[in-house]
Structure formats: C-alpha cells, structure tokens
Amino acid sequence: MFTPVNQVRLTNVAIVRLKKKGKRFEIACYKNKVMSWRNKIEKDIDEVLQSHSVFSNVSKGTLAKGKDLQKVFGSTDQTAICKLILATGQLQVSQKERKFEAESKLRDIATTIAEMCINTDNNLPFPVEVIQTAMKDVKFSLKPNRSAKQQALDLIPELKQELPIARAQMRVRVAIPEAKAKDIKKKIEPMVATLEKEDWEFDYEMVARIDPGAYRGIVDAVAAGTRGKGTVDILDCKVQDNVKTLE
C-alpha cells in the first residue's frame, strides 16, 4: 500500500497532544512509558518515543509541517520539541482505558484507607469493600492528577459522616542523647498512647504507639531539645497485620 512521504503509520501507541497558538501537535510514545518519563524513572528517550517525529495527527500518520514547528516553537529540532510535548502535553487515553485507570485508582484509595484506619467501635480494620461503599455514599470525586495516598488522607475526615473511622496509631522509635533524655521524655510522654519498649543503655531509646496527630509534636520536641541530634523514626503507620479484618 502506498503511504505518502509526509505520513508515518504507527500501532499500539500512546499519544501525547499539545495545542499551542492554534495548532495541534502530537507525539507517538510507547504505552506505559509516558508517566515513567515524567516521574524520572525512565531516562532513555528512545525507550519512550516510538518516533522522534512531531505529528499533527498520529492516528492518520500526518507529520507536522516544518514551518508550523518554526512558528510555534522557534525551532525545527524534532527531538527537542518531542521532549517539550512529552513534558507539557496531555496524554490521550481511550474511554475504556480511562475507566480502567479510574477504577484502579479508586481501589488503591480504598485499600490505602483500609490499611491506615480502624473501626473505632471495635478497633478492627474495615474491609476494602466497606470503604468503597462509603466513598460512593459521600459522593467522592476522583482527582486523576493526585496520588492515591494524598486523596486517601483528604478523604478520611469525610468518611466519618458514614463510618466510625479513625487513623490507626503509628509505631515509632525515638532516640535521644542521654544528657537530654529525662527532660525530653517528660515532654513527649503525654503524646504517647502506648509505650512498648524503652532502653536506657547508652542513649535513651523508646518504641511506642502514638496517634498520627501527635507525630509532629514529638518530632518538634525531640528536634528542639536535642538540637537535631535526636531522631524519630516511623516503624509502621498501617493497621497491625495480626489483626483480623471484620467481615
């Protein structure tokens, strides 16, 4: 089949589109590589671009005109323009792909909440399905450009309208130089929910469970009292694995 010289046919492609100064420009990428490039996971541009050409329409295989590239980008350097479109353009996805991605992200948000929270009536974690139902009840609106964890943290207060839910306690290790230990311990003890272990050999070390809202106060107290020489490490911020899920 004859293909005009200004047309290139590509298959199994992810399209990134940029509209600028009344013109449409597109680049052809490998599926699943666009976000890897944007997240700086993939660094080889040849692993991202199916072609170093700039198109006006990838689906039709129509290449962008050189005069349009010069007018809009001030250059005809195809690779440089591809990188610009890759960074600032809009990734085109089909309705089916968009639906799958949305459902997957909603599931991720619900799973994150289930891992981070407990039912305050019985101190047990919620099944993911219960969280998903509550998300629908509060009419949660997915934000595609925000991470699942960010949206989960924002959503927890809203879910309190439907569920007896609260963040699970965090497990932390606090280490304080011996000379400052007694004074700082007195300051942070009211913020500790459960003291699991403490060790006075050499420097003072404490392993404890705390409410998430107390974390910043403990960090600030240790930092101020030790001039940055003490540490507060998060050991676990999820529901304990040995607790059975309430069905």
Side-chain angles (χ1 to χ4, degrees):
M1 183 179 72
F2 173 72
T3 301
V5 294
N6 68 333
Q7 290 189 342
V8 178
R9 295 294 185 182
L10 297 166
T11 58
N12 194 31
V13 62
I15 300 170
V16 180
R17 179 181 298 158
L18 178 67
K19 292 183 178 180
K20 192 171 183 180
K21 295 184 179 180
K23 299 290 183 180
R24 184 177 81 174
F25 302 97
E26 296 180 346
I27 56 173
C29 304
Y30 291 105
K31 286 185 178 292
N32 304 321
K33 286 293 186 176
V34 175
M35 296 311 299
S36 294
W37 175 267
R38 289 178 174 177
N39 292 328
K40 303 187 186 306
I41 297 170
E42 178 61 66
K43 301 183 185 300
D44 185 352
I45 192 67
D46 290 326
E47 293 294 321
V48 182
L49 297 176
Q50 285 206 29
S51 167
H52 284 249
S53 299
V54 180
F55 296 79
S56 59
N57 190 312
V58 168
S59 299
K60 294 180 178 180
T62 306
L63 297 169
K65 296 177 181 178
K67 65 178 183 180
D68 289 338
L69 297 178
Q70 184 64 46
K71 180 180 178 180
V72 175
F73 299 102
S75 170
T76 56
D77 184 333
Q78 300 265 330
T79 300
I81 296 171
C82 282
K83 288 181 178 179
L84 176 63
I85 296 171
L86 187 58
T88 61
Q90 184 177 18
L91 178 62
Q92 306 298 300
V93 293
S94 68
Q95 186 174 353
K96 183 178 180 180
E97 288 174 319
R98 190 177 290 112
K99 182 180 179 182
F100 175 80
E101 289 176 3
E103 289 175 348
S104 178
K105 197 157 197 176
L106 285 169
R107 177 79 182 184
D108 288 345
I109 292 169
T111 300
T112 300
I113 293 172
E115 290 176 343
M116 297 172 65
C117 296
I118 57 171
N119 182 330
T120 56
D121 286 347
N122 52 31
N123 291 325
L124 294 175
F126 285 100
V128 173
E129 292 75 17
V130 172
I131 301 296
Q132 289 176 309
T133 299
M135 290 168 65
K136 293 177 182 177
D137 290 341
V138 299
K139 295 180 172 55
F140 172 69
S141 179
L142 181 68
K143 300 176 180 62
N145 295 326
R146 298 193 68 207
S147 73
K149 184 175 181 180
Q150 288 174 324
Q151 294 187 75
L153 290 171
D154 290 343
L155 179 57
I156 291 169
E158 294 184 44
L159 293 181
K160 291 181 179 181
Q161 301 171 30
E162 301 294 328
L163 299 171
I165 191 171
R167 289 280 301 276
Q169 291 178 340
M170 301 168 66
R171 190 165 180 260
V172 298
R173 179 191 293 116
V174 181
I176 307 168
E178 185 179 12
K180 301 287 185 179
K182 289 185 179 179
D183 290 339
I184 297 174
K185 183 188 176 187
K186 287 181 181 179
K187 291 181 180 179
I188 67 175
E189 271 183 330
M191 294 182 271
V192 171
T194 305
L195 178 62
E196 293 187 355
K197 185 180 84 170
E198 60 180 347
D199 185 354
W200 287 93
E201 186 178 359
F202 304 114
D203 293 339
Y204 175 71
E205 184 176 292
M206 167 198 294
V207 175
R209 288 198 172 272
I210 64 172
D211 292 326
Y215 174 73
R216 179 49 55 191
I218 292 175
V219 169
D220 291 345
V222 171
T226 65
R227 295 184 178 180
K229 294 181 180 178
T231 60
V232 181
D233 298 316
I234 298 174
L235 302 179
D236 187 11
C237 58
K238 295 181 180 179
V239 177
Q240 296 182 59
D241 293 335
N242 62 351
V243 177
K244 291 183 179 179
T245 299
L246 178 66
E247 297 297 345

